[in-house]
Amino acid sequence: MGNHVCLVLKSKHYTAKDLIETAISRIESKEKKKMNLVWIEAAGCSGNIISLLNGCAPNVTYFLTDLVNLKYNNSLMRAQGDEAEEQLIKTLDTEFILIVDGAISTKDNGIYNIVGYYKGRSITGMEEVKRVAEKAKYILTVGTCASYGGISAAKPNPSGCISAADYIKKELNRDVIRLPGCPAHPDWIMGTIANLILFEDIKLDEDRRPITFYGVTIHDICPRRSFFEKRIFAKSVGETTCMFKLGCRGPVTKTDCSIRKWNDYVNWPIGDNTPCIGCAQKGFPDAMEPFINF
C-alpha cells in the first residue's frame, strides 16, 4: 500500500477534529483569529447545511461559536429581508470566508434562483455570489452542485445552471477550493476551514480539492477491496461482497467515505450493502447513471 494511502488511513476523522481543536486553541491564545463566514445557498437543496448540522467532531455549535463568526446564511440566521442583506453588506468590508452551496442559475439573468430581497428588489444567486466572491479572502464551493453543477445542472437543465466554481472563474477569474459531495461531509467543510485559519493555505489536487479528504479513491481504501482482488462480486444489492459489477463508482470517486463514514461515523452506502453512486465526482448525476446495474 502506497505511503499516501497509508496517510489517509491513519488520518481518519481525527484529522478534521485535530485541525479544528488546534485552530480553536490558537484562536484562544490570540495566535490566530476567528474569521467571518458567509454561506450563500444558491440553486440547490440546502443538503450541505443539513449535513453540517449533523457534524459531531466537533458539533456545529462549537464550530460556529469558537472557530468562525457566521455572518450570513439563508437558512440559519435570525435576520431576514433588508436586515439580513445589510448584515451581509457590512461583512464585505471585513476579512471573510465565502462558502457557495448550490449551482448558479444563469438563464434569463438568473431569475430562477432568488436568494434575497433588499429595498423591494429581488436578488438572484448569480448577482449575490459575484458580488460577495469579489471581496472574499477564500472561496469554498461546498457540495457537488457548487463544485461541478451536480443535480442542479443535470439534463435538461431548464434554468441554465452551471457550477459556482466555473461561474466565479469566468466572471472574476478567481479559483476556488472545491468540496464536492451530495452532500459534503461536515468534516470536509470544518476541517478545510480550520486548515485555512491555521496555515492560510491548503494542499489541493489538480481539481482543487483538499488532498487530506479527496486524496484517494473509495476503491483504494474500500474494506471490500479483497473481494475485488479475488473476483468475488455481488450479484444483487444486499450482498456483502464487492459491488463493482453492480455499477459501484468507488473506483472513480475520490473521497474518504469508506474510513470516515457518515451519521456520527456509523455507516456509509457500501457498509449498508448498496453501491457507491459517485455523488462527489465530476459529472454526477448524468455521468454516473445508471446508479445500479442489474
Side-chain angles (χ1 to χ4, degrees), residues 223-237:
R224 302 191 185 191
R225 179 66 181 266
S226 61
F227 289 114
F228 176 84
E229 302 294 345
K230 295 174 183 177
R231 299 297 188 263
I232 302 173
F233 298 111
K235 295 180 179 178
S236 66
V237 294

Side-chain angles (χ1 to χ4, degrees), residues 213-282:
F213 306 117
Y214 299 88
V216 294
T217 67
I218 285 175
H219 182 70
D220 288 331
I221 49 178
C222 181
R224 302 191 185 191
R225 179 66 181 266
S226 61
F227 289 114
F228 176 84
E229 302 294 345
K230 295 174 183 177
R231 299 297 188 263
I232 302 173
F233 298 111
K235 295 180 179 178
S236 66
V237 294
E239 295 183 14
T240 58
T241 53
C242 177
M243 298 196 171
F244 177 74
K245 290 193 174 180
L246 290 178
C248 180
R249 299 301 188 266
V252 298
T253 303
K254 283 191 172 183
T255 70
D256 59 6
C257 295
S258 60
I259 54 173
R260 190 169 304 278
K261 301 182 181 179
W262 293 77
N263 299 319
D264 293 0
Y265 313 116
V266 171
N267 208 348
W268 68 300
I270 292 174
D272 204 32
N273 301 322
T274 186
C276 165
I277 61 173
C279 77
Q281 196 63 13
K282 187 174 185 178

Side-chain angles (χ1 to χ4, degrees), residues 13-23 57 198:
H13 56 80
Y14 302 111
T15 301
K17 183 174 184 290
D18 287 348
L19 280 168
I20 294 163
E21 289 182 347
T22 301
L198 278 172

Side-chain angles (χ1 to χ4, degrees), residues 9-55:
L9 285 170
K10 288 177 182 177
S11 68
K12 207 179 178 186
H13 56 80
Y14 302 111
T15 301
K17 183 174 184 290
D18 287 348
L19 280 168
I20 294 163
E21 289 182 347
T22 301
I24 289 173
S25 175
R26 298 280 176 84
I27 289 169
E28 290 174 345
S29 66
K30 309 299 183 184
E31 297 174 67
K32 297 291 179 180
K33 63 179 181 179
K34 285 198 287 185
M35 288 192 66
N36 291 333
L37 175 64
V38 171
W39 183 310
I40 296 176
E41 297 172 54
C45 67
S46 301
N48 294 290
I49 275 289
I50 301 302
S51 178
L52 182 71
L53 294 175
N54 283 328

Side-chain angles (χ1 to χ4, degrees), residues 11-221:
S11 68
K12 207 179 178 186
H13 56 80
Y14 302 111
T15 301
K17 183 174 184 290
D18 287 348
L19 280 168
I20 294 163
E21 289 182 347
T22 301
I24 289 173
S25 175
R26 298 280 176 84
I27 289 169
E28 290 174 345
S29 66
K30 309 299 183 184
E31 297 174 67
K32 297 291 179 180
K33 63 179 181 179
K34 285 198 287 185
M35 288 192 66
N36 291 333
L37 175 64
V38 171
W39 183 310
I40 296 176
E41 297 172 54
C45 67
S46 301
N48 294 290
I49 275 289
I50 301 302
S51 178
L52 182 71
L53 294 175
N54 283 328
C56 65
N59 64 44
V60 69
T61 301
Y62 187 62
F63 167 70
L64 293 177
T65 57
D66 291 59
L67 188 64
V68 297
N69 299 308
L70 181 64
K71 292 296 185 179
Y72 182 90
N73 171 262
N74 310 53
S75 296
L76 299 182
M77 68 190 303
R78 294 177 182 176
Q80 298 181 32
D82 286 9
E83 184 182 354
E85 195 65 23
E86 285 167 2
Q87 186 166 316
L88 174 59
I89 291 168
K90 289 178 182 177
T91 306
L92 299 185
D93 292 326
T94 70
E95 187 175 78
F96 68 93
I97 298 169
L98 168 63
I99 286 179
V100 183
D101 172 3
I104 305 299
S105 172
T106 62
K107 188 175 180 181
D108 296 332
N109 207 29
I111 193 64
Y112 302 108
N113 177 221
I114 302 299
V115 298
Y117 296 90
Y118 188 54
K119 295 184 177 179
R121 187 177 70 84
S122 300
I123 301 173
T124 67
M126 185 171 73
E127 175 189 353
E128 194 87 289
V129 167
K130 181 180 179 180
R131 180 161 58 96
V132 179
E134 194 170 21
K135 300 279 190 175
K137 181 172 183 179
Y138 305 110
I139 306 170
L140 280 59
T141 54
V142 169
T144 302
C145 287
S147 296
Y148 298 125
I151 291 174
S152 297
K155 295 177 182 177
N157 193 9
S159 61
C161 280
I162 62 173
S163 74
D166 287 346
Y167 175 73
I168 292 167
K169 183 67 175 177
K170 176 185 175 184
E171 294 295 321
L172 302 173
N173 196 29
R174 291 198 63 181
D175 290 318
V176 306
I177 297 170
R178 286 187 171 103
L179 299 176
C182 193
H185 196 288
D187 284 7
W188 304 341
I189 302 168
M190 294 189 286
T192 298
I193 290 175
N195 199 117
L196 291 171
I197 289 174
L198 278 172
F199 307 113
E200 299 185 13
D201 196 9
I202 190 167
K203 192 171 184 180
L204 305 174
D205 67 8
E206 69 284 352
D207 209 25
R208 301 196 60 79
R209 297 170 294 189
I211 288 176
T212 300
F213 306 117
Y214 299 88
V216 294
T217 67
I218 285 175
H219 182 70
D220 288 331
I221 49 178

